[in-house]
PDB file of all heavy atoms in Angstrom:
ATOM      1  N   GLU W 434      82.812-139.896-189.764  1.00  0.00           N
ATOM      2  CA  GLU W 434      83.016-138.877-188.743  1.00  0.00           C
ATOM      3  C   GLU W 434      84.497-138.533-188.664  1.00  0.00           C
ATOM      4  O   GLU W 434      85.346-139.391-188.827  1.00  0.00           O
ATOM      5  CB  GLU W 434      82.539-139.448-187.407  1.00  0.00           C
ATOM      6  CG  GLU W 434      82.660-138.550-186.233  1.00  0.00           C
ATOM      7  CD  GLU W 434      82.059-139.213-184.980  1.00  0.00           C
ATOM      8  OE1 GLU W 434      80.947-139.791-185.071  1.00  0.00           O
ATOM      9  OE2 GLU W 434      82.720-139.171-183.939  1.00  0.00           O
ATOM     10  N   LEU W 435      84.759-137.259-188.441  1.00  0.00           N
ATOM     11  CA  LEU W 435      86.145-136.824-188.322  1.00  0.00           C
ATOM     12  C   LEU W 435      86.426-136.364-186.891  1.00  0.00           C
ATOM     13  O   LEU W 435      85.555-135.825-186.225  1.00  0.00           O
ATOM     14  CB  LEU W 435      86.361-135.620-189.252  1.00  0.00           C
ATOM     15  CG  LEU W 435      87.023-135.801-190.620  1.00  0.00           C
ATOM     16  CD1 LEU W 435      86.742-137.148-191.249  1.00  0.00           C
ATOM     17  CD2 LEU W 435      86.636-134.675-191.547  1.00  0.00           C
ATOM     18  N   HIS W 436      87.650-136.616-186.477  1.00  0.00           N
ATOM     19  CA  HIS W 436      88.079-136.054-185.190  1.00  0.00           C
ATOM     20  C   HIS W 436      89.182-135.063-185.464  1.00  0.00           C
ATOM     21  O   HIS W 436      90.141-135.345-186.175  1.00  0.00           O
ATOM     22  CB  HIS W 436      88.545-137.161-184.238  1.00  0.00           C
ATOM     23  CG  HIS W 436      87.374-137.900-183.644  1.00  0.00           C
ATOM     24  ND1 HIS W 436      86.802-137.578-182.433  1.00  0.00           N
ATOM     25  CD2 HIS W 436      86.623-138.916-184.150  1.00  0.00           C
ATOM     26  CE1 HIS W 436      85.771-138.369-182.208  1.00  0.00           C
ATOM     27  NE2 HIS W 436      85.639-139.201-183.249  1.00  0.00           N
ATOM     28  N   CYS W 437      88.990-133.872-184.900  1.00  0.00           N
ATOM     29  CA  CYS W 437      89.949-132.797-185.125  1.00  0.00           C
ATOM     30  C   CYS W 437      90.305-132.143-183.798  1.00  0.00           C
ATOM     31  O   CYS W 437      89.632-132.349-182.792  1.00  0.00           O
ATOM     32  CB  CYS W 437      89.337-131.730-186.034  1.00  0.00           C
ATOM     33  SG  CYS W 437      88.974-132.321-187.698  1.00  0.00           S
ATOM     34  N   THR W 438      91.336-131.335-183.843  1.00  0.00           N
ATOM     35  CA  THR W 438      91.628-130.470-182.689  1.00  0.00           C
ATOM     36  C   THR W 438      91.594-129.041-183.218  1.00  0.00           C
ATOM     37  O   THR W 438      91.779-128.809-184.411  1.00  0.00           O
ATOM     38  CB  THR W 438      93.025-130.743-182.101  1.00  0.00           C
ATOM     39  OG1 THR W 438      94.003-130.609-183.146  1.00  0.00           O
ATOM     40  CG2 THR W 438      93.093-132.147-181.517  1.00  0.00           C
ATOM     41  N   TYR W 439      91.316-128.103-182.331  1.00  0.00           N
ATOM     42  CA  TYR W 439      91.322-126.701-182.758  1.00  0.00           C
ATOM     43  C   TYR W 439      92.397-125.946-182.021  1.00  0.00           C
ATOM     44  O   TYR W 439      92.880-126.388-180.977  1.00  0.00           O
ATOM     45  CB  TYR W 439      89.947-126.081-182.549  1.00  0.00           C
ATOM     46  CG  TYR W 439      89.684-125.537-181.164  1.00  0.00           C
ATOM     47  CD1 TYR W 439      89.450-124.169-180.956  1.00  0.00           C
ATOM     48  CD2 TYR W 439      89.661-126.377-180.047  1.00  0.00           C
ATOM     49  CE1 TYR W 439      89.205-123.662-179.702  1.00  0.00           C
ATOM     50  CE2 TYR W 439      89.412-125.870-178.790  1.00  0.00           C
ATOM     51  CZ  TYR W 439      89.184-124.508-178.608  1.00  0.00           C
ATOM     52  OH  TYR W 439      88.944-124.004-177.354  1.00  0.00           O
ATOM     53  N   ASP W 440      92.776-124.808-182.541  1.00  0.00           N
ATOM     54  CA  ASP W 440      93.767-123.960-181.894  1.00  0.00           C
ATOM     55  C   ASP W 440      93.038-122.731-181.360  1.00  0.00           C
ATOM     56  O   ASP W 440      92.632-121.860-182.121  1.00  0.00           O
ATOM     57  CB  ASP W 440      94.832-123.546-182.924  1.00  0.00           C
ATOM     58  CG  ASP W 440      95.845-122.584-182.326  1.00  0.00           C
ATOM     59  OD1 ASP W 440      95.687-122.187-181.146  1.00  0.00           O
ATOM     60  OD2 ASP W 440      96.788-122.208-183.056  1.00  0.00           O
ATOM     61  N   PRO W 441      92.873-122.662-180.023  1.00  0.00           N
ATOM     62  CA  PRO W 441      92.107-121.553-179.425  1.00  0.00           C
ATOM     63  C   PRO W 441      92.674-120.181-179.796  1.00  0.00           C
ATOM     64  O   PRO W 441      91.945-119.193-179.814  1.00  0.00           O
ATOM     65  CB  PRO W 441      92.245-121.795-177.927  1.00  0.00           C
ATOM     66  CG  PRO W 441      92.677-123.225-177.791  1.00  0.00           C
ATOM     67  CD  PRO W 441      93.424-123.574-179.032  1.00  0.00           C
ATOM     68  N   ALA W 442      93.945-120.127-180.123  1.00  0.00           N
ATOM     69  CA  ALA W 442      94.574-118.837-180.448  1.00  0.00           C
ATOM     70  C   ALA W 442      94.114-118.290-181.792  1.00  0.00           C
ATOM     71  O   ALA W 442      94.349-117.132-182.122  1.00  0.00           O
ATOM     72  CB  ALA W 442      96.102-118.986-180.442  1.00  0.00           C
ATOM     73  N   THR W 443      93.486-119.119-182.594  1.00  0.00           N
ATOM     74  CA  THR W 443      93.094-118.690-183.944  1.00  0.00           C
ATOM     75  C   THR W 443      91.645-118.226-183.997  1.00  0.00           C
ATOM     76  O   THR W 443      91.055-118.134-185.084  1.00  0.00           O
ATOM     77  CB  THR W 443      93.287-119.842-184.947  1.00  0.00           C
ATOM     78  OG1 THR W 443      92.488-120.959-184.527  1.00  0.00           O
ATOM     79  CG2 THR W 443      94.730-120.255-185.059  1.00  0.00           C
ATOM     80  N   LYS W 444      91.056-117.943-182.886  1.00  0.00           N
ATOM     81  CA  LYS W 444      89.657-117.530-182.845  1.00  0.00           C
ATOM     82  C   LYS W 444      89.398-116.373-183.822  1.00  0.00           C
ATOM     83  O   LYS W 444      90.132-115.399-183.880  1.00  0.00           O
ATOM     84  CB  LYS W 444      89.263-117.090-181.428  1.00  0.00           C
ATOM     85  CG  LYS W 444      87.810-116.660-181.345  1.00  0.00           C
ATOM     86  CD  LYS W 444      87.336-116.513-179.910  1.00  0.00           C
ATOM     87  CE  LYS W 444      85.857-116.072-179.906  1.00  0.00           C
ATOM     88  NZ  LYS W 444      85.316-116.011-178.538  1.00  0.00           N
ATOM     89  N   GLY W 445      88.349-116.516-184.590  1.00  0.00           N
ATOM     90  CA  GLY W 445      88.035-115.498-185.603  1.00  0.00           C
ATOM     91  C   GLY W 445      88.644-115.842-186.942  1.00  0.00           C
ATOM     92  O   GLY W 445      88.225-115.346-187.979  1.00  0.00           O
ATOM     93  N   GLY W 446      89.675-116.713-186.933  1.00  0.00           N
ATOM     94  CA  GLY W 446      90.223-117.171-188.198  1.00  0.00           C
ATOM     95  C   GLY W 446      91.622-116.703-188.534  1.00  0.00           C
ATOM     96  O   GLY W 446      92.120-116.994-189.610  1.00  0.00           O
ATOM     97  N   ASP W 447      92.230-115.961-187.618  1.00  0.00           N
ATOM     98  CA  ASP W 447      93.608-115.532-187.886  1.00  0.00           C
ATOM     99  C   ASP W 447      94.566-116.167-186.893  1.00  0.00           C
ATOM    100  O   ASP W 447      94.276-116.241-185.706  1.00  0.00           O
ATOM    101  CB  ASP W 447      93.720-114.007-187.754  1.00  0.00           C
ATOM    102  CG  ASP W 447      93.328-113.319-189.046  1.00  0.00           C
ATOM    103  OD1 ASP W 447      93.802-113.758-190.112  1.00  0.00           O
ATOM    104  OD2 ASP W 447      92.525-112.358-188.979  1.00  0.00           O
TER     105      ASP W 447
END
Side-chain angles (χ1 to χ4, degrees):
Chain W
E434 180 176 315
L435 260 31
H436 283 266
C437 295
T438 55
Y439 85 117
D440 176 356
T443 59
K444 180 168 180 176
D447 275 313

